[in-house]
Amino acid sequence: MLNNKTILITGGTGSFGKAFVRYIFKKYPKIKKVIIFSRDEQKQHAMSKEFSTEKYPIKYLLGDVRDKERLLQVSKNVDIVIHSAAMKHVPAAEQNPMECVKTNILGSQNIIDISIINGIDHVVALSTDKAASPINVYGASKLLLEKLFVFANSDDNNESIKFSVVRYGNIFGSKGSVVPFFMTIKDQNFLPITDKKMTRFSITLQESIDLVMYALKNGWGGEIIVPIAPSYKIIDVAKAIAPNIEHREVGIRKGEKLHEVMISEYESFATVKRDNYYIICPTDGNWDRDEYCKKTDALMVDDGFEYHSGKNSEWLDIEDIKKLIEQEEIM
Ligand SMILES: NC(=O)c1ccc[n+]([C@@H]2O[C@H](COP(=O)([O-])OP(=O)(O)OC[C@H]3O[C@@H](n4cnc5c(N)ncnc54)[C@H](OP(=O)(O)O)[C@@H]3O)[C@@H](O)[C@H]2O)c1
């Protein structure tokens, strides 16, 4: 699927980007070229130690998704864009909302514009469960990214480019997330728990790669693809990492939800289940959901369906969490 293709990855030096590059070079030895696009030269230099330009068909290009001219230059002759670059820290986005708007919303529109101008085949953007019924700037900015991508698919300016979105929850053990945080402070005398009832969806880094690959392979364009994933309780993460110290409730932080909602009940009327994914279909007139279900064996979900981390049917218990920490080699 990716052999003989040129792939531009915005945010290619991030956790997802690096893991994705590792995966596609292994799986598709005849890839024509991978272009890594991000701002920080140090991160690109560090990445080039694993993926040197001598050994791999890879190019490191500096730039900011806010800069459309630069994006236009770097996306010439590109077949596929994976749009992963983002401001993703909830507190940083709360403190600097306009910076988040510039990167996550205006930057995403730039990706759409240059993809149309340069005739890219397929663009996949990475979104988050925080975009469903958002209460923080980050979630709201990703909701707008989703809206822009879904609209781009049906825009009159776009005849043939597929714009797909994948929406998923916390990557287990990702930088800045609760697992590595608890691991670094587990030898102190207590672990701070925002709220003992708090839950989150969980997927592994590999599952996020599989999700993007699924979008590239099966996406019609215009849909939001959501993986079916288990939930965990934050208190169970604390019990798995440091069972014998105090787990002290410190209160929920600004912009945080007690539970995440991956698909809100308001989206259920447009949602179908296909393979191991939910697909939120576009609701504009050009997209025929019945035809989609017929051609793909997808099934409509029940009316009022809500995919909620606190009401999930699949859970990671303390033992599962311990195994995942080992499997993902989180120190
Ligand atoms: N990690 C999770 O748990 C999770 C869950 C759901 C969705 N997602 C989404 O998945 C995507 C990737 O996440 P990640 O964990 O890989 O993030 P990450 O490790 O923080 O990487 C972010 C990447 O984006 C680049 N970047 C940031 N701002 C940029 C800009 N203005 N222009 C160009 N590049 C920029 C960064 O490099 P420079 O700083 O050098 O520019 C870096 O390469 C994000 O869109 C995120 O919202 C992540």
Side-chain angles (χ1 to χ4, degrees), residues 11 50 52 72 84 110 113 120 128 136 161 178 180-181 214 227 244 246 249 251 285 315 320 328:
E50 180 175 357
S52 69
L72 259 178
S84 154
N110 286 340
D113 291 343
I120 310 285
T128 161
N136 53 48
I161 306 168
V178 66
F181 173 60
Y214 184 86
N244 299 321
E246 182 195 352
E249 269 190 323
W315 287 88
D320 297 325
E328 300 297 299

mmCIF file of all heavy atoms in Angstrom, residues 11 50 52 72 84 110 113 120 128 136 161 178 180-181 214 227 244 246 249 251 285 315 320 328:
data_model
loop_
_atom_site.group_PDB
_atom_site.id
_atom_site.type_symbol
_atom_site.label_atom_id
_atom_site.label_comp_id
_atom_site.label_asym_id
_atom_site.label_seq_id
_atom_site.Cartn_x
_atom_site.Cartn_y
_atom_site.Cartn_z
ATOM 1 N N GLY A 11 4.862 16.639 12.225
ATOM 2 C CA GLY A 11 5.069 16.127 13.585
ATOM 3 C C GLY A 11 5.739 14.772 13.570
ATOM 4 O O GLY A 11 5.537 13.957 14.469
ATOM 5 N N GLU A 50 18.663 7.267 14.336
ATOM 6 C CA GLU A 50 18.040 5.955 14.079
ATOM 7 C C GLU A 50 17.734 5.792 12.588
ATOM 8 O O GLU A 50 17.929 4.725 12.019
ATOM 9 C CB GLU A 50 16.758 5.807 14.908
ATOM 10 C CG GLU A 50 16.098 4.459 14.664
ATOM 11 C CD GLU A 50 14.886 4.193 15.556
ATOM 12 O OE1 GLU A 50 14.554 5.028 16.426
ATOM 13 O OE2 GLU A 50 14.252 3.137 15.345
ATOM 14 N N SER A 52 18.952 7.343 9.375
ATOM 15 C CA SER A 52 19.855 8.271 8.692
ATOM 16 C C SER A 52 19.434 8.405 7.230
ATOM 17 O O SER A 52 18.831 7.486 6.649
ATOM 18 C CB SER A 52 21.297 7.764 8.778
ATOM 19 O OG SER A 52 21.404 6.595 7.986
ATOM 20 N N LEU A 72 3.575 24.340 1.229
ATOM 21 C CA LEU A 72 3.393 24.179 -0.227
ATOM 22 C C LEU A 72 4.654 23.624 -0.872
ATOM 23 O O LEU A 72 4.604 22.730 -1.715
ATOM 24 C CB LEU A 72 3.082 25.530 -0.854
ATOM 25 C CG LEU A 72 1.625 25.848 -1.188
ATOM 26 C CD1 LEU A 72 1.521 27.248 -1.754
ATOM 27 C CD2 LEU A 72 1.030 24.819 -2.138
ATOM 28 N N SER A 84 0.082 14.841 11.968
ATOM 29 C CA SER A 84 0.188 14.478 13.380
ATOM 30 C C SER A 84 0.644 15.665 14.241
ATOM 31 O O SER A 84 0.464 15.657 15.464
ATOM 32 C CB SER A 84 1.182 13.298 13.454
ATOM 33 O OG SER A 84 1.799 13.219 14.669
ATOM 34 N N ASN A 110 -4.248 24.854 6.675
ATOM 35 C CA ASN A 110 -3.123 24.949 5.727
ATOM 36 C C ASN A 110 -2.846 23.594 5.078
ATOM 37 O O ASN A 110 -2.598 23.503 3.873
ATOM 38 C CB ASN A 110 -1.846 25.418 6.445
ATOM 39 C CG ASN A 110 -1.894 26.897 6.780
ATOM 40 O OD1 ASN A 110 -2.678 27.649 6.186
ATOM 41 N ND2 ASN A 110 -1.073 27.330 7.725
ATOM 42 N N ASP A 113 -5.462 23.020 2.459
ATOM 43 C CA ASP A 113 -5.278 23.886 1.279
ATOM 44 C C ASP A 113 -4.140 23.380 0.397
ATOM 45 O O ASP A 113 -4.286 23.260 -0.819
ATOM 46 C CB ASP A 113 -4.977 25.333 1.712
ATOM 47 C CG ASP A 113 -6.191 25.982 2.360
ATOM 48 O OD1 ASP A 113 -7.310 25.465 2.197
ATOM 49 O OD2 ASP A 113 -5.998 27.007 3.055
ATOM 50 N N ILE A 120 -2.624 15.862 -3.493
ATOM 51 C CA ILE A 120 -2.282 14.700 -2.657
ATOM 52 C C ILE A 120 -3.418 13.675 -2.809
ATOM 53 O O ILE A 120 -4.562 14.045 -3.053
ATOM 54 C CB ILE A 120 -2.182 15.151 -1.181
ATOM 55 C CG1 ILE A 120 -1.291 16.383 -1.023
ATOM 56 C CG2 ILE A 120 -1.793 14.014 -0.243
ATOM 57 C CD1 ILE A 120 0.147 16.223 -1.125
ATOM 58 N N THR A 128 -8.434 13.433 18.842
ATOM 59 C CA THR A 128 -8.430 12.891 20.210
ATOM 60 C C THR A 128 -9.853 12.762 20.737
ATOM 61 O O THR A 128 -10.757 13.479 20.272
ATOM 62 C CB THR A 128 -7.634 13.861 21.119
ATOM 63 O OG1 THR A 128 -7.968 13.617 22.492
ATOM 64 C CG2 THR A 128 -7.974 15.315 20.855
ATOM 65 N N ASN A 136 -12.190 21.707 26.906
ATOM 66 C CA ASN A 136 -10.947 22.462 27.000
ATOM 67 C C ASN A 136 -10.514 22.934 25.603
ATOM 68 O O ASN A 136 -11.059 22.493 24.581
ATOM 69 C CB ASN A 136 -9.836 21.656 27.697
ATOM 70 C CG ASN A 136 -9.626 20.295 27.055
ATOM 71 O OD1 ASN A 136 -9.519 20.194 25.834
ATOM 72 N ND2 ASN A 136 -9.582 19.245 27.876
ATOM 73 N N ILE A 161 -9.429 14.110 -3.550
ATOM 74 C CA ILE A 161 -8.560 13.827 -2.398
ATOM 75 C C ILE A 161 -9.398 13.303 -1.236
ATOM 76 O O ILE A 161 -10.457 13.848 -0.941
ATOM 77 C CB ILE A 161 -7.829 15.104 -1.942
ATOM 78 C CG1 ILE A 161 -7.100 15.718 -3.134
ATOM 79 C CG2 ILE A 161 -6.877 14.809 -0.796
ATOM 80 C CD1 ILE A 161 -6.593 17.101 -2.867
ATOM 81 N N VAL A 178 -0.169 9.769 32.629
ATOM 82 C CA VAL A 178 -0.174 9.392 34.048
ATOM 83 C C VAL A 178 0.798 8.240 34.372
ATOM 84 O O VAL A 178 1.414 8.246 35.444
ATOM 85 C CB VAL A 178 -1.631 9.067 34.490
ATOM 86 C CG1 VAL A 178 -2.170 7.826 33.798
ATOM 87 C CG2 VAL A 178 -1.741 8.925 35.987
ATOM 88 N N PRO A 180 3.919 7.229 33.054
ATOM 89 C CA PRO A 180 5.308 7.633 33.359
ATOM 90 C C PRO A 180 5.389 8.607 34.539
ATOM 91 O O PRO A 180 6.363 8.579 35.298
ATOM 92 C CB PRO A 180 5.793 8.296 32.066
ATOM 93 C CG PRO A 180 4.605 8.506 31.221
ATOM 94 C CD PRO A 180 3.548 7.544 31.671
ATOM 95 N N PHE A 181 4.350 9.420 34.733
ATOM 96 C CA PHE A 181 4.354 10.357 35.872
ATOM 97 C C PHE A 181 4.385 9.582 37.190
ATOM 98 O O PHE A 181 5.232 9.834 38.050
ATOM 99 C CB PHE A 181 3.118 11.270 35.783
ATOM 100 C CG PHE A 181 2.930 12.152 36.981
ATOM 101 C CD1 PHE A 181 3.906 13.069 37.360
ATOM 102 C CD2 PHE A 181 1.769 12.057 37.757
ATOM 103 C CE1 PHE A 181 3.735 13.879 38.478
ATOM 104 C CE2 PHE A 181 1.590 12.854 38.877
ATOM 105 C CZ PHE A 181 2.572 13.764 39.244
ATOM 106 N N TYR A 214 -5.343 1.553 8.999
ATOM 107 C CA TYR A 214 -6.720 1.168 8.647
ATOM 108 C C TYR A 214 -7.380 2.319 7.861
ATOM 109 O O TYR A 214 -8.059 2.086 6.848
ATOM 110 C CB TYR A 214 -7.510 0.867 9.927
ATOM 111 C CG TYR A 214 -8.919 0.377 9.664
ATOM 112 C CD1 TYR A 214 -9.178 -0.977 9.437
ATOM 113 C CD2 TYR A 214 -9.997 1.257 9.649
ATOM 114 C CE1 TYR A 214 -10.467 -1.437 9.188
ATOM 115 C CE2 TYR A 214 -11.292 0.806 9.396
ATOM 116 C CZ TYR A 214 -11.518 -0.534 9.174
ATOM 117 O OH TYR A 214 -12.796 -0.986 8.919
ATOM 118 N N PRO A 227 -11.188 3.749 17.352
ATOM 119 C CA PRO A 227 -10.916 2.343 17.694
ATOM 120 C C PRO A 227 -11.764 1.893 18.883
ATOM 121 O O PRO A 227 -12.082 2.695 19.763
ATOM 122 C CB PRO A 227 -9.439 2.364 18.103
ATOM 123 C CG PRO A 227 -9.227 3.742 18.635
ATOM 124 C CD PRO A 227 -10.156 4.655 17.875
ATOM 125 N N ASN A 244 1.546 0.113 47.765
ATOM 126 C CA ASN A 244 1.694 0.216 49.223
ATOM 127 C C ASN A 244 1.849 1.631 49.757
ATOM 128 O O ASN A 244 2.171 1.827 50.923
ATOM 129 C CB ASN A 244 2.893 -0.638 49.666
ATOM 130 C CG ASN A 244 2.648 -2.092 49.301
ATOM 131 O OD1 ASN A 244 1.517 -2.574 49.417
ATOM 132 N ND2 ASN A 244 3.684 -2.759 48.807
ATOM 133 N N GLU A 246 0.251 5.814 50.006
ATOM 134 C CA GLU A 246 -1.046 6.501 50.028
ATOM 135 C C GLU A 246 -1.405 7.007 48.618
ATOM 136 O O GLU A 246 -0.542 7.509 47.894
ATOM 137 C CB GLU A 246 -0.954 7.701 50.984
ATOM 138 C CG GLU A 246 -2.272 8.449 51.123
ATOM 139 C CD GLU A 246 -2.111 9.826 51.763
ATOM 140 O OE1 GLU A 246 -0.991 10.146 52.243
ATOM 141 O OE2 GLU A 246 -3.087 10.584 51.754
ATOM 142 N N GLU A 249 -6.225 11.951 47.004
ATOM 143 C CA GLU A 249 -7.033 12.715 46.034
ATOM 144 C C GLU A 249 -6.663 14.185 46.110
ATOM 145 O O GLU A 249 -6.650 14.771 47.193
ATOM 146 C CB GLU A 249 -8.524 12.532 46.330
ATOM 147 C CG GLU A 249 -9.124 11.363 45.585
ATOM 148 C CD GLU A 249 -10.637 11.287 45.661
ATOM 149 O OE1 GLU A 249 -11.201 11.600 46.715
ATOM 150 O OE2 GLU A 249 -11.245 10.896 44.652
ATOM 151 N N GLY A 251 -7.870 16.448 43.501
ATOM 152 C CA GLY A 251 -8.871 17.245 42.766
ATOM 153 C C GLY A 251 -8.554 17.339 41.285
ATOM 154 O O GLY A 251 -7.384 17.296 40.868
ATOM 155 N N GLY A 285 -25.054 15.644 2.290
ATOM 156 C CA GLY A 285 -25.816 14.893 1.299
ATOM 157 C C GLY A 285 -25.001 13.996 0.384
ATOM 158 O O GLY A 285 -25.518 13.015 -0.143
ATOM 159 N N TRP A 315 -12.485 -3.454 30.189
ATOM 160 C CA TRP A 315 -11.656 -2.754 31.183
ATOM 161 C C TRP A 315 -10.282 -3.401 31.313
ATOM 162 O O TRP A 315 -10.155 -4.615 31.181
ATOM 163 C CB TRP A 315 -12.349 -2.797 32.558
ATOM 164 C CG TRP A 315 -13.532 -1.891 32.601
ATOM 165 C CD1 TRP A 315 -14.807 -2.215 32.235
ATOM 166 C CD2 TRP A 315 -13.552 -0.515 32.974
ATOM 167 N NE1 TRP A 315 -15.619 -1.108 32.371
ATOM 168 C CE2 TRP A 315 -14.877 -0.054 32.826
ATOM 169 C CE3 TRP A 315 -12.587 0.397 33.431
ATOM 170 C CZ2 TRP A 315 -15.262 1.249 33.100
ATOM 171 C CZ3 TRP A 315 -12.966 1.700 33.715
ATOM 172 C CH2 TRP A 315 -14.283 2.119 33.548
ATOM 173 N N ASP A 320 -3.717 -6.387 34.230
ATOM 174 C CA ASP A 320 -3.539 -5.993 32.813
ATOM 175 C C ASP A 320 -2.623 -4.764 32.714
ATOM 176 O O ASP A 320 -1.781 -4.666 31.817
ATOM 177 C CB ASP A 320 -4.891 -5.608 32.172
ATOM 178 C CG ASP A 320 -5.868 -6.768 32.126
ATOM 179 O OD1 ASP A 320 -5.424 -7.902 31.940
ATOM 180 O OD2 ASP A 320 -7.092 -6.520 32.277
ATOM 181 N N GLU A 328 5.153 -2.455 27.238
ATOM 182 C CA GLU A 328 5.504 -1.186 26.575
ATOM 183 C C GLU A 328 6.848 -0.643 27.067
ATOM 184 O O GLU A 328 7.263 0.454 26.680
ATOM 185 C CB GLU A 328 4.401 -0.137 26.797
ATOM 186 C CG GLU A 328 3.028 -0.553 26.263
ATOM 187 C CD GLU A 328 2.986 -0.748 24.750
ATOM 188 O OE1 GLU A 328 3.246 0.224 24.028
ATOM 189 O OE2 GLU A 328 2.713 -1.893 24.305
#
